[in-house]
Amino acid sequence: GEIFSTYILCRMGEEFAFVHQHAAHERIRYNRLKSQGETLERQMLLSPVTVTLSREEHEFALEHKEALGRLGFEADDFGGSTVAVRSIPALMADASPRDLFLDALSGLMDRHTGVTAVDEILHRMACRSAVKGGDHNTRAELEELVKTIVEDENVRFCPHGRPVLLRFTKRELEKLFG
């Protein structure tokens, strides 16, 4: 089941578990992004998305097209301080191209290069595109999320370190009720 449009309630063997949907989905997306290596696969957009930037952001985006490309973004000058985003990371195809691009650009501007910068950007993109509290999810989506958590030992904490699930044994639940 689901409670507060945020937590999945489920039985796992002899245990009862609460799954934090956003934290779990964020970790799964982050792991998938990391598994692609240094260059993320791109999903071309049917129509480019225009993004208006500050003058500094615009110059930075044009100067760092290669770095943005490795993150799955293709963006061209659209005049003024606007860019046309033509592709986004394929794994994030269901997220807002504008928001993802701004997150990636901001991360690059903060750190420029290096593993830490890429990791931080992947964290931001995974977080931004993961399900949020209040999102409506189908039973099949919830079941798929729990299945992935059960099968993948690397999905125990979100990229920020928060737990993805909390487990209680029958005995622990009984103790809570006295």
Side-chain angles (χ1 to χ4, degrees):
E2 182 180 35
I3 188 167
F4 306 128
S5 298
T6 301
Y7 304 97
I8 302 170
L9 311 173
C10 58
R11 181 176 171 191
M12 302 172 106
E14 292 301 311
E15 295 179 319
F16 179 76
F18 290 96
V19 175
H20 192 289
Q21 292 177 54
H22 174 76
H25 197 229
E26 180 180 354
R27 172 50 82 175
I28 291 165
R29 287 207 161 194
Y30 173 76
N31 289 352
R32 288 180 181 160
L33 287 169
K34 285 286 285 184
S35 73
Q36 289 188 9
E38 292 183 23
T39 302
L40 302 182
E41 288 182 36
R42 294 179 183 182
Q43 171 68 51
M44 297 303 291
L45 301 174
L46 290 174
S47 298
V49 173
T50 56
V51 181
T52 302
L53 306 168
S54 70
R55 182 202 253 97
E56 179 187 9
E57 290 169 330
H58 185 256
E59 288 174 11
F60 188 91
L62 296 179
E63 290 172 8
H64 294 85
K65 284 177 73 167
E66 186 179 319
L68 286 165
R70 285 192 302 273
L71 292 169
F73 297 95
E74 181 182 333
D76 301 313
D77 186 16
F78 197 70
S81 61
T82 302
V83 294
V85 177
R86 299 184 188 288
S87 74
I88 61 173
L91 283 172
M92 305 288 135
D94 58 346
S96 163
R98 180 185 184 284
D99 291 345
L100 285 176
F101 180 79
L102 290 173
D103 275 347
L105 184 63
S106 173
L108 282 174
M109 289 180 77
D110 288 348
R111 300 270 173 104
H112 295 289
T113 59
V115 174
T116 304
V118 172
D119 239 20
E120 183 180 311
I121 293 165
L122 296 181
H123 283 173
R124 288 181 188 199
M125 292 190 324
C127 183
R128 173 80 66 173
S129 66
V131 297
K132 306 283 187 285
D135 286 355
H136 175 72
N137 300 290
T138 66
R139 182 178 176 94
E141 290 169 329
L142 298 176
E143 288 174 356
E144 183 63 30
L145 194 60
V146 171
K147 180 182 176 202
T148 302
I149 293 166
V150 169
E151 293 174 354
D152 188 348
E153 288 291 322
N154 294 315
V155 183
R156 293 297 175 260
F157 297 92
C158 80
H160 306 101
R162 295 184 316 254
V164 164
L165 77 149
L166 298 174
R167 294 178 179 205
F168 298 91
T169 64
K170 181 179 177 186
R171 176 98 171 108
E172 289 170 324
L173 286 174
E174 288 171 345
K175 286 171 89 176
L176 291 172
F177 286 100

